[in-house]
Amino acid sequence: MALQYQTRQFEVMLCSDNEPDSMYLEVTEIVEEKSRIVLEIRYFESDGSITFTAFEKDLPFELIEHFGLSARESLTPVAETVE
């Protein structure tokens, strides 16, 4: 998913990792056709914890807000109801 805040371009990717058993959203910033990771939110299946890591300073608040909400929806499991 591509995002733009002011003149800055970002991309969000949903990823998974076996060691540790986790899923994560990764945000990269595109600058002059090069990309670098700026944010990561990771959900650990072993204990249900979520961590947030910022690799850059001075990121747009709107990006962090959007990213946090997206992570909550994309990473945490949805409980199945049995009727």
Side-chain angles (χ1 to χ4, degrees):
M1 169 189 344
L3 304 169
Q4 181 172 340
Y5 292 98
Q6 299 159 348
T7 60
R8 298 171 75 176
Q9 296 284 331
F10 300 93
E11 287 188 358
V12 178
M13 291 182 18
L14 176 62
C15 309
S16 64
D17 205 350
N18 290 331
E19 292 293 327
D21 192 11
S22 61
M23 292 178 50
Y24 59 99
L25 284 180
E26 181 177 273
V27 176
T28 57
E29 183 170 15
I30 312 301
V31 178
E32 297 178 5
E33 298 183 22
K34 294 182 181 179
S35 64
R36 67 176 183 270
I37 300 170
V38 296
L39 293 172
E40 178 184 276
I41 294 182
R42 186 175 291 262
Y43 169 77
F44 295 91
E45 292 188 23
S46 61
D47 63 3
S49 65
I50 298 174
T51 61
F52 173 89
T53 305
F55 300 103
E56 296 285 330
K57 294 181 180 181
D58 301 323
L59 295 168
F61 177 74
E62 296 86 0
L63 173 70
I64 295 169
E65 183 176 48
H66 176 85
F67 186 54
L69 292 172
S70 294
R72 174 72 66 193
E73 294 171 0
S74 301
L75 299 178
T76 55
V78 176
E80 294 183 28
T81 58
V82 177
E83 295 183 31

